[in-house]
Amino acid sequence: MIELCLLEHIPNHQSRGFKLGEDELFAVRHNRTVYVYRNRCPHLGIPLEWVPDRFLDTDGELIQCSTHGALFTIHDGFCVSGPCSGQSLQALECSVEGGVVRVRID
Ligand code: FES
């Protein structure tokens, strides 16, 4: 597991993008739980956000791809609406301990 950031560096109920070498990821925080996914839409394989660190819909309840509007659940990355319905974002194992977010990148 490698260190991604401090928990406090992801605003609660919001998202943040990361670039670790070749890997583009994003994280969504709900209180002390963090979900991390590769920043790649299953529809066209391109990044999801239209402005930095903005990966959620206006209600902050779903992850939204900015290109064609696909919507994904935050807790498991499953696409519930849009051109890649039924597919999923690639989730990465992560942990939060001592205020530090760590992620496993294979
Ligand atoms: S590229 Fe994400 S919905 Fe089309």
Side-chain angles (χ1 to χ4, degrees):
M1 298 273 252
I2 61 169
E3 186 172 324
L4 188 63
C5 68
L6 296 179
L7 180 63
E8 66 192 34
H9 290 164
I10 308 171
N12 201 13
H13 299 291
Q14 294 183 42
S15 55
R16 183 175 160 190
F18 297 89
K19 193 158 174 30
L20 300 179
E22 298 289 296
D23 294 300
E24 289 193 47
L25 319 173
F26 68 97
V28 182
R29 176 182 170 193
H30 275 179
N31 302 313
R32 297 195 60 76
T33 303
V34 175
Y35 305 92
V36 181
Y37 296 98
R38 288 198 183 277
N39 185 6
R40 190 186 306 136
C41 181
H43 180 214
L44 295 183
I46 57 177
L48 288 95
E49 80 278 35
W50 60 282
V51 292
D53 301 324
R54 295 286 300 274
F55 291 87
L56 303 181
D57 65 359
T58 51
D59 296 332
E61 298 201 339
L62 292 164
I63 296 162
Q64 183 167 38
C65 178
S66 61
T67 303
H68 304 109
L71 294 167
F72 306 85
T73 52
I74 290 172
H75 68 282
D76 65 2
F78 185 75
C79 182
V80 294
S81 171
C84 44
S85 267
Q87 298 182 59
S88 296
L89 297 168
Q90 187 181 349
L92 298 178
E93 183 184 344
C94 77
S95 69
V96 181
E97 283 174 30
V100 177
V101 182
R102 291 187 175 81
V103 66
R104 186 181 305 284
I105 298 178
D106 298 324

